[in-house]
Amino acid sequence: MAKKDLGNLEENNKNMTGVGALFSVPPKADNTAKRKNEADLEEEEEITGYPLRMKKGWLKQLKIMSANSGTSVKDLILNAVADKYKL
């Protein structure tokens, strides 16, 4: 199916704001920047995601500590594990 040029959908229609982004093609510069970051990560080390379950009270305290110190909850946890096990 051929792509259709829908023009400016948002023009004179307050209910259609942001719809143009759904139909526009993203610029290619973003893809190259993403690939460059991925290449940097591969050179340094591989990073994986790991889900972590914890008590709600602990998470609440971590969020408070995070806000006070200006770091993310993830960074607090990673630093604590690295310090504890000397990684």
Coordinates of all heavy atoms in Angstrom, one line a residue:
M1 N 0.8 -1.2 0.0 CA 0.0 0.0 0.0 C 0.9 1.2 0.0 O 1.8 1.3 0.8 CB -0.9 0.0 1.2 CG -1.8 1.2 1.3 SD -2.8 1.2 2.8 CE -4.3 0.6 2.2
A2 N 0.6 2.2 -0.9 CA 1.4 3.4 -1.0 C 1.1 4.3 0.2 O 0.0 4.4 0.7 CB 1.1 4.1 -2.3
K3 N 2.1 5.1 0.6 CA 2.0 6.1 1.6 C 1.2 7.3 1.1 O 1.4 7.7 0.0 CB 3.3 6.5 2.2 CG 4.1 5.4 2.9 CD 5.3 6.0 3.5 CE 6.1 4.9 4.2 NZ 7.3 5.4 4.8
K4 N 0.3 7.8 2.0 CA -0.4 9.0 1.6 C 0.1 10.2 2.3 O 0.4 10.1 3.5 CB -1.9 8.7 1.9 CG -2.5 7.6 1.2 CD -4.0 7.4 1.6 CE -4.6 6.2 0.8 NZ -6.0 6.0 1.2
D5 N 0.1 11.3 1.6 CA 0.5 12.6 2.2 C -0.8 13.2 2.8 O -1.7 13.6 2.1 CB 1.1 13.5 1.2 CG 1.5 14.8 1.8 OD1 1.7 14.8 3.1 OD2 1.7 15.8 1.1
L6 N -0.9 13.2 4.1 CA -2.1 13.7 4.8 C -2.0 15.2 5.1 O -2.9 15.7 5.6 CB -2.3 12.9 6.1 CG -2.5 11.4 5.9 CD1 -2.5 10.7 7.3 CD2 -3.7 11.1 5.1
G7 N -1.0 15.8 4.7 CA -0.9 17.3 4.9 C -0.7 17.6 6.3 O -0.2 16.9 7.1
N8 N -1.2 18.8 6.7 CA -1.1 19.3 8.0 C -2.4 19.0 8.7 O -3.4 19.7 8.6 CB -0.8 20.8 8.1 CG -0.4 21.3 9.5 OD1 -0.5 20.5 10.4 ND2 -0.1 22.5 9.6
L9 N -2.5 17.9 9.5 CA -3.7 17.5 10.1 C -4.1 18.4 11.3 O -5.3 18.5 11.6 CB -3.6 16.1 10.7 CG -3.4 15.0 9.6 CD1 -3.1 13.7 10.3 CD2 -4.6 14.9 8.8
E10 N -3.1 19.0 11.9 CA -3.4 19.8 13.1 C -3.9 21.2 12.8 O -4.4 21.9 13.6 CB -2.1 19.9 13.9 CG -1.6 18.6 14.3 CD -0.2 18.7 14.9 OE1 0.3 19.8 15.1 OE2 0.3 17.6 15.3
E11 N -3.9 21.6 11.5 CA -4.2 23.0 11.1 C -5.7 23.2 11.4 O -6.6 22.5 11.0 CB -3.9 23.2 9.7 CG -4.1 24.6 9.2 CD -3.7 24.8 7.8 OE1 -2.6 24.3 7.4 OE2 -4.5 25.3 7.0
N12 N -6.0 24.3 12.2 CA -7.4 24.7 12.5 C -8.2 23.7 13.2 O -9.4 23.6 13.0 CB -8.1 25.2 11.2 CG -7.5 26.4 10.6 OD1 -6.9 27.3 11.4 ND2 -7.5 26.5 9.3
N13 N -7.6 22.8 13.9 CA -8.4 21.7 14.6 C -7.7 21.5 16.0 O -6.7 20.9 16.1 CB -8.4 20.4 13.8 CG -9.4 19.5 14.4 OD1 -9.8 19.6 15.6 ND2 -9.8 18.5 13.6
K14 N -8.3 22.0 17.0 CA -7.7 21.9 18.4 C -7.7 20.5 18.9 O -7.0 20.2 19.9 CB -8.4 22.9 19.3 CG -9.9 22.5 19.6 CD -10.5 23.5 20.6 CE -11.9 23.1 20.9 NZ -12.6 23.9 21.9
N15 N -8.5 19.6 18.4 CA -8.6 18.3 18.9 C -7.6 17.3 18.3 O -7.5 16.2 18.7 CB -10.0 17.7 18.7 CG -11.1 18.4 19.5 OD1 -10.8 18.9 20.6 ND2 -12.3 18.6 18.9
M16 N -6.9 17.8 17.3 CA -5.9 17.0 16.6 C -4.5 17.3 16.9 O -3.6 17.0 16.1 CB -6.2 17.1 15.1 CG -7.5 16.6 14.7 SD -7.7 14.8 14.8 CE -6.7 14.4 13.3
T17 N -4.2 18.0 18.0 CA -2.8 18.4 18.3 C -1.9 17.2 18.5 O -2.3 16.2 19.2 CB -2.7 19.3 19.5 OG1 -3.3 18.7 20.6 CG2 -3.4 20.6 19.3
G18 N -0.8 17.2 17.9 CA 0.2 16.1 18.1 C 0.0 14.9 17.1 O 0.8 14.0 17.1
V19 N -1.1 14.9 16.4 CA -1.4 13.8 15.4 C -0.3 13.8 14.3 O 0.0 12.7 13.8 CB -2.8 13.9 14.9 CG1 -3.0 12.9 13.8 CG2 -3.8 13.7 16.0
G20 N 0.2 14.9 13.9 CA 1.2 15.0 12.9 C 2.4 14.1 13.2 O 3.0 13.6 12.3
A21 N 2.7 14.0 14.4 CA 3.9 13.2 14.8 C 3.7 11.7 14.6 O 4.6 11.0 14.4 CB 4.2 13.4 16.3
L22 N 2.4 11.3 14.6 CA 2.1 9.9 14.3 C 2.4 9.5 12.9 O 2.7 8.3 12.6 CB 0.7 9.6 14.7 CG 0.3 9.7 16.2 CD1 -1.2 9.5 16.3 CD2 1.1 8.7 17.0
F23 N 2.2 10.4 12.0 CA 2.3 10.1 10.6 C 3.6 10.6 9.9 O 3.8 10.4 8.8 CB 1.1 10.7 9.8 CG -0.2 10.1 10.3 CD1 -1.0 10.9 11.1 CD2 -0.6 8.9 9.9 CE1 -2.2 10.3 11.6 CE2 -1.8 8.3 10.3 CZ -2.6 9.1 11.2
S24 N 4.4 11.3 10.7 CA 5.7 11.8 10.0 C 6.8 10.8 10.2 O 6.8 10.0 11.1 CB 6.1 13.1 10.7 OG 6.4 12.9 12.0
V25 N 7.7 10.8 9.3 CA 8.9 9.9 9.3 C 9.9 10.5 10.2 O 10.3 11.7 10.0 CB 9.4 9.7 7.9 CG1 10.6 8.8 7.9 CG2 8.3 9.1 7.0
P26 N 10.5 9.8 11.1 CA 11.5 10.4 12.0 C 12.8 10.7 11.2 O 13.1 9.9 10.2 CB 11.8 9.3 13.1 CG 11.3 8.1 12.5 CD 10.2 8.4 11.5
P27 N 13.5 11.7 11.6 CA 14.8 12.0 10.8 C 15.8 10.9 11.0 O 15.9 10.3 12.1 CB 15.2 13.3 11.4 CG 14.5 13.4 12.7 CD 13.3 12.7 12.6
K28 N 16.7 10.7 10.1 CA 17.7 9.7 10.1 C 18.8 10.0 11.0 O 19.6 9.1 11.5 CB 18.2 9.4 8.7 CG 17.1 8.8 7.9 CD 17.7 8.3 6.5 CE 16.5 7.7 5.7 NZ 17.0 7.1 4.5
A29 N 19.0 11.3 11.4 CA 20.1 11.7 12.3 C 19.9 11.0 13.7 O 20.9 10.7 14.3 CB 20.1 13.2 12.4
D30 N 18.7 10.8 14.1 CA 18.5 10.2 15.4 C 18.9 8.7 15.4 O 19.5 8.3 16.4 CB 17.0 10.3 15.8 CG 16.5 11.7 16.1 OD1 17.4 12.5 16.4 OD2 15.3 11.9 16.0
N31 N 18.7 8.1 14.3 CA 19.1 6.7 14.2 C 20.6 6.5 14.3 O 21.2 5.6 15.0 CB 18.6 6.0 12.9 CG 17.1 5.9 12.9 OD1 16.5 5.9 14.0 ND2 16.5 5.8 11.8
T32 N 21.4 7.4 13.7 CA 22.8 7.3 13.7 C 23.4 7.7 15.1 O 24.3 7.0 15.6 CB 23.5 8.3 12.7 OG1 23.0 9.6 12.9 CG2 23.1 7.8 11.3
A33 N 22.7 8.6 15.8 CA 23.1 8.9 17.2 C 22.9 7.7 18.1 O 23.7 7.4 18.9 CB 22.4 10.2 17.7
K34 N 21.8 7.1 17.9 CA 21.5 5.9 18.7 C 22.5 4.8 18.5 O 23.0 4.2 19.4 CB 20.0 5.4 18.4 CG 19.6 4.3 19.3 CD 18.2 3.9 19.0 CE 17.8 2.7 19.8 NZ 16.4 2.3 19.5
R35 N 22.8 4.6 17.2 CA 23.8 3.5 16.9 C 25.1 3.9 17.5 O 25.9 3.0 17.9 CB 23.9 3.4 15.4 CG 22.7 2.7 14.8 CD 22.8 2.5 13.3 NE 21.5 2.1 12.7 CZ 21.2 2.4 11.5 NH1 21.9 3.1 10.7 NH2 20.0 1.9 11.1
K36 N 25.5 5.1 17.5 CA 26.8 5.5 18.0 C 26.8 5.2 19.5 O 27.8 4.7 20.0 CB 27.0 7.0 17.8 CG 28.4 7.5 18.2 CD 28.6 9.0 18.0 CE 29.0 9.2 16.5 NZ 29.4 10.6 16.3
N37 N 25.8 5.5 20.2 CA 25.7 5.2 21.7 C 25.8 3.7 21.9 O 26.4 3.3 22.9 CB 24.5 5.8 22.3 CG 24.5 7.3 22.4 OD1 25.6 7.9 22.3 ND2 23.4 8.0 22.5
E38 N 25.1 3.0 21.1 CA 25.1 1.5 21.3 C 26.5 1.0 21.0 O 27.0 0.1 21.7 CB 24.1 0.9 20.3 CG 22.7 1.1 20.7 CD 21.7 0.5 19.6 OE1 22.2 0.0 18.5 OE2 20.5 0.6 19.8
A39 N 27.2 1.6 20.1 CA 28.6 1.1 19.8 C 29.5 1.4 21.0 O 30.4 0.7 21.3 CB 29.1 1.8 18.5
D40 N 29.3 2.6 21.6 CA 30.1 3.0 22.8 C 29.9 2.0 23.9 O 30.8 1.6 24.6 CB 29.8 4.4 23.3 CG 30.2 5.4 22.3 OD1 31.1 5.1 21.4 OD2 29.7 6.6 22.4
L41 N 28.6 1.6 24.1 CA 28.3 0.6 25.2 C 29.0 -0.7 24.9 O 29.5 -1.4 25.8 CB 26.8 0.4 25.3 CG 26.1 1.6 26.0 CD1 24.6 1.3 26.0 CD2 26.6 1.9 27.4
E42 N 28.9 -1.2 23.6 CA 29.5 -2.5 23.3 C 31.0 -2.5 23.5 O 31.6 -3.5 23.9 CB 29.2 -2.8 21.9 CG 27.7 -3.1 21.6 CD 27.4 -3.4 20.2 OE1 28.3 -3.3 19.3 OE2 26.2 -3.6 19.9
E43 N 31.7 -1.3 23.3 CA 33.1 -1.3 23.5 C 33.5 -1.4 24.9 O 34.4 -2.0 25.3 CB 33.6 0.0 22.9 CG 33.6 0.0 21.4 CD 34.1 1.4 20.8 OE1 34.5 2.2 21.6 OE2 34.1 1.5 19.6
E44 N 32.7 -0.7 25.8 CA 33.0 -0.6 27.2 C 32.6 -2.0 27.9 O 33.5 -2.7 28.3 CB 32.2 0.5 27.9 CG 32.7 1.9 27.4 CD 31.9 3.0 28.0 OE1 31.1 2.7 28.9 OE2 32.1 4.1 27.6
E45 N 31.3 -2.2 27.9 CA 30.9 -3.5 28.5 C 29.4 -3.7 28.2 O 28.7 -2.7 27.9 CB 31.1 -3.6 30.0 CG 30.4 -2.4 30.8 CD 30.8 -2.4 32.2 OE1 32.0 -2.4 32.5 OE2 29.9 -2.5 33.0
E46 N 28.9 -4.9 28.2 CA 27.5 -5.1 28.0 C 26.7 -4.8 29.2 O 27.1 -5.2 30.3 CB 27.4 -6.6 27.6 CG 26.0 -6.9 27.1 CD 25.9 -8.4 26.6 OE1 26.9 -9.0 26.3 OE2 24.7 -8.8 26.6
I47 N 25.6 -4.2 29.0 CA 24.7 -3.8 30.1 C 23.4 -4.5 29.9 O 22.8 -4.6 28.8 CB 24.5 -2.3 30.2 CG1 25.8 -1.6 30.4 CG2 23.4 -1.9 31.2 CD1 25.7 -0.1 30.4
T48 N 22.9 -5.1 31.0 CA 21.6 -5.8 30.9 C 20.6 -5.3 31.9 O 21.0 -4.6 32.9 CB 21.8 -7.3 31.2 OG1 22.3 -7.5 32.6 CG2 22.7 -8.0 30.3
G49 N 19.4 -5.5 31.7 CA 18.3 -5.1 32.6 C 18.0 -6.2 33.6 O 18.1 -7.4 33.2
Y50 N 17.6 -5.9 34.8 CA 17.3 -6.9 35.8 C 16.1 -6.4 36.7 O 16.3 -5.4 37.3 CB 18.5 -7.3 36.6 CG 18.2 -8.4 37.6 CD1 18.1 -9.7 37.2 CD2 17.9 -8.1 39.0 CE1 17.9 -10.7 38.1 CE2 17.6 -9.1 39.9 CZ 17.6 -10.4 39.4 OH 17.3 -11.4 40.3
P51 N 15.0 -7.0 36.6 CA 13.9 -6.5 37.5 C 14.2 -6.9 39.0 O 14.7 -7.9 39.3 CB 12.7 -7.3 37.0 CG 13.2 -8.5 36.3 CD 14.6 -8.2 35.8
L52 N 13.8 -6.0 39.8 CA 14.0 -6.1 41.2 C 12.8 -5.9 42.0 O 12.1 -4.9 41.9 CB 15.1 -5.1 41.7 CG 15.5 -5.1 43.2 CD1 16.2 -6.4 43.5 CD2 16.4 -3.9 43.5
R53 N 12.4 -6.9 42.8 CA 11.2 -6.8 43.7 C 11.7 -6.4 45.1 O 12.7 -7.0 45.6 CB 10.4 -8.1 43.7 CG 9.9 -8.4 42.4 CD 9.2 -9.8 42.4 NE 8.6 -10.1 41.2 CZ 7.3 -10.0 40.9 NH1 6.5 -9.6 41.8 NH2 6.9 -10.3 39.7
M54 N 10.9 -5.5 45.7 CA 11.3 -5.1 47.1 C 10.0 -4.7 47.8 O 9.0 -4.4 47.2 CB 12.3 -4.0 47.1 CG 11.9 -2.7 46.6 SD 13.1 -1.4 46.8 CE 14.2 -1.9 45.5
K55 N 10.1 -4.6 49.1 CA 9.0 -4.1 49.9 C 8.6 -2.7 49.6 O 9.5 -1.9 49.3 CB 9.3 -4.2 51.4 CG 9.5 -5.7 51.9 CD 9.8 -5.7 53.3 CE 10.0 -7.1 53.8 NZ 10.4 -7.2 55.2
K56 N 7.4 -2.3 49.7 CA 6.9 -1.0 49.3 C 7.6 0.1 50.2 O 7.9 1.2 49.8 CB 5.4 -0.9 49.4 CG 4.7 -1.5 48.3 CD 3.2 -1.3 48.3 CE 2.5 -2.1 47.2 NZ 1.0 -1.9 47.3
G57 N 7.7 -0.3 51.5 CA 8.3 0.6 52.5 C 9.8 0.9 52.1 O 10.2 2.1 52.3
W58 N 10.5 -0.1 51.7 CA 11.9 0.1 51.3 C 12.0 1.1 50.1 O 12.8 2.0 50.0 CB 12.6 -1.2 50.9 CG 12.8 -2.1 52.0 CD1 12.4 -2.0 53.3 CD2 13.4 -3.4 52.0 NE1 12.8 -3.0 54.1 CE2 13.4 -4.0 53.3 CE3 13.9 -4.1 50.9 CZ2 13.9 -5.2 53.5 CZ3 14.5 -5.4 51.2 CH2 14.5 -5.9 52.5
L59 N 11.1 0.8 49.1 CA 11.1 1.7 47.9 C 10.8 3.1 48.3 O 11.4 4.0 47.7 CB 10.1 1.1 46.9 CG 10.0 1.9 45.5 CD1 11.4 1.9 44.9 CD2 9.0 1.3 44.6
K60 N 9.8 3.3 49.2 CA 9.4 4.6 49.6 C 10.6 5.3 50.2 O 10.9 6.5 49.9 CB 8.3 4.6 50.6 CG 7.8 5.9 51.0 CD 6.6 5.7 51.9 CE 6.1 7.1 52.4 NZ 4.9 7.0 53.3
Q61 N 11.4 4.6 51.1 CA 12.5 5.2 51.7 C 13.6 5.5 50.7 O 14.3 6.5 50.8 CB 13.1 4.2 52.8 CG 12.3 4.2 54.0 CD 12.3 5.5 54.8 OE1 11.4 6.4 54.5 NE2 13.2 5.6 55.7
L62 N 13.8 4.6 49.7 CA 14.8 4.8 48.7 C 14.4 6.1 47.8 O 15.3 6.8 47.5 CB 14.9 3.6 47.8 CG 15.8 2.5 48.3 CD1 15.6 1.3 47.4 CD2 17.2 2.9 48.4
K63 N 13.2 6.3 47.6 CA 12.7 7.4 46.8 C 13.0 8.7 47.6 O 13.4 9.7 47.0 CB 11.3 7.3 46.4 CG 11.0 6.3 45.3 CD 9.5 6.3 45.0 CE 9.3 5.3 43.8 NZ 7.9 5.3 43.4
I64 N 12.8 8.7 48.9 CA 13.1 9.9 49.7 C 14.6 10.1 49.7 O 15.0 11.3 49.6 CB 12.6 9.6 51.2 CG1 11.0 9.6 51.2 CG2 13.1 10.7 52.1 CD1 10.4 9.2 52.5
M65 N 15.4 9.1 49.9 CA 16.9 9.2 49.9 C 17.3 9.7 48.5 O 18.2 10.6 48.4 CB 17.5 7.9 50.2 CG 17.4 7.4 51.6 SD 17.9 5.8 51.9 CE 19.6 5.8 51.4
S66 N 16.7 9.3 47.5 CA 17.0 9.7 46.1 C 16.8 11.1 45.9 O 17.6 11.9 45.3 CB 16.2 8.8 45.1 OG 16.4 9.3 43.8
A67 N 15.6 11.6 46.4 CA 15.3 13.0 46.2 C 16.2 13.9 47.0 O 16.6 15.0 46.6 CB 13.8 13.2 46.7
N68 N 16.6 13.4 48.2 CA 17.5 14.2 49.1 C 18.9 14.3 48.5 O 19.6 15.3 48.6 CB 17.5 13.7 50.5 CG 16.2 13.9 51.2 OD1 15.5 14.8 50.9 ND2 16.0 13.1 52.2
S69 N 19.4 13.2 47.9 CA 20.8 13.2 47.4 C 20.9 13.6 46.0 O 22.0 13.9 45.5 CB 21.3 11.8 47.6 OG 20.7 10.9 46.7
G70 N 19.8 13.7 45.2 CA 19.8 14.1 43.8 C 20.3 13.0 42.9 O 20.7 13.3 41.8
T71 N 20.3 11.8 43.3 CA 20.6 10.7 42.4 C 19.4 9.8 42.2 O 18.4 9.9 42.9 CB 21.7 9.8 43.0 OG1 21.3 9.3 44.3 CG2 23.0 10.6 43.2
S72 N 19.4 8.9 41.3 CA 18.3 8.0 41.0 C 18.3 6.8 42.0 O 19.3 6.5 42.6 CB 18.3 7.5 39.6 OG 19.4 6.7 39.4
V73 N 17.1 6.2 42.1 CA 16.9 5.1 43.0 C 17.8 3.9 42.4 O 18.5 3.2 43.2 CB 15.5 4.6 43.0 CG1 15.3 3.3 43.7 CG2 14.6 5.7 43.7
K74 N 17.9 3.8 41.1 CA 18.7 2.8 40.5 C 20.2 3.0 40.9 O 20.9 2.0 41.2 CB 18.6 2.8 39.0 CG 19.4 1.8 38.3 CD 19.1 1.8 36.8 CE 20.0 2.9 36.2 NZ 20.0 2.9 34.7
D75 N 20.7 4.2 40.8 CA 22.1 4.5 41.2 C 22.3 4.2 42.7 O 23.4 3.7 43.0 CB 22.4 5.9 40.9 CG 22.6 6.1 39.4 OD1 22.8 5.2 38.6 OD2 22.5 7.3 39.0
L76 N 21.4 4.5 43.5 CA 21.5 4.2 45.0 C 21.7 2.7 45.2 O 22.6 2.3 45.9 CB 20.3 4.7 45.8 CG 20.2 6.2 46.0 CD1 18.9 6.6 46.7 CD2 21.4 6.7 46.8
I77 N 20.9 1.9 44.5 CA 20.9 0.5 44.7 C 22.2 -0.1 44.1 O 22.9 -0.9 44.8 CB 19.7 -0.2 44.0 CG1 18.4 0.2 44.8 CG2 19.8 -1.7 44.0 CD1 17.1 -0.2 44.1
L78 N 22.6 0.4 42.9 CA 23.8 -0.1 42.3 C 25.0 0.2 43.2 O 26.0 -0.6 43.3 CB 24.0 0.4 40.9 CG 23.0 -0.1 39.9 CD1 23.1 0.6 38.6 CD2 23.2 -1.6 39.7
N79 N 25.1 1.4 43.7 CA 26.2 1.8 44.5 C 26.3 1.0 45.8 O 27.3 0.6 46.3 CB 26.1 3.3 44.9 CG 26.5 4.2 43.7 OD1 27.2 3.8 42.8 ND2 26.0 5.4 43.6
A80 N 25.1 0.7 46.4 CA 25.0 0.0 47.6 C 25.6 -1.5 47.4 O 26.3 -2.0 48.2 CB 23.6 -0.1 48.2
V81 N 25.1 -2.1 46.3 CA 25.6 -3.4 46.0 C 27.1 -3.4 45.7 O 27.8 -4.3 46.1 CB 24.8 -4.0 44.8 CG1 25.4 -5.3 44.2 CG2 23.3 -4.2 45.1
A82 N 27.5 -2.4 44.9 CA 29.0 -2.4 44.6 C 29.8 -2.2 45.9 O 30.9 -2.8 46.0 CB 29.2 -1.2 43.6
D83 N 29.4 -1.3 46.8 CA 30.1 -1.1 48.0 C 30.1 -2.4 48.9 O 31.1 -2.8 49.5 CB 29.5 0.0 48.8 CG 29.8 1.4 48.2 OD1 30.7 1.4 47.3 OD2 29.1 2.4 48.6
K84 N 28.9 -3.0 49.0 CA 28.8 -4.2 49.9 C 29.7 -5.4 49.4 O 30.4 -6.0 50.2 CB 27.3 -4.6 49.9 CG 27.1 -5.9 50.6 CD 27.3 -5.9 52.1 CE 26.9 -7.2 52.7 NZ 27.2 -7.2 54.1
Y85 N 29.7 -5.6 48.1 CA 30.4 -6.8 47.6 C 31.7 -6.4 46.9 O 32.3 -7.2 46.2 CB 29.4 -7.5 46.6 CG 28.3 -8.1 47.4 CD1 27.0 -7.5 47.3 CD2 28.4 -9.2 48.2 CE1 25.9 -8.1 48.0 CE2 27.4 -9.8 48.9 CZ 26.1 -9.2 48.8 OH 25.1 -9.7 49.5
K86 N 32.1 -5.2 47.0 CA 33.3 -4.7 46.4 C 33.5 -5.0 44.9 O 34.5 -5.6 44.5 CB 34.5 -5.2 47.2 CG 34.4 -4.8 48.7 CD 35.6 -4.9 49.5 CE 35.5 -4.7 50.9 NZ 34.3 -4.0 51.5
L87 N 32.5 -4.7 44.2 CA 32.5 -4.9 42.7 C 33.2 -3.8 42.0 O 33.2 -2.7 42.3 CB 31.0 -5.1 42.2 CG 30.2 -6.2 42.8 CD1 28.8 -6.2 42.3 CD2 30.9 -7.5 42.5

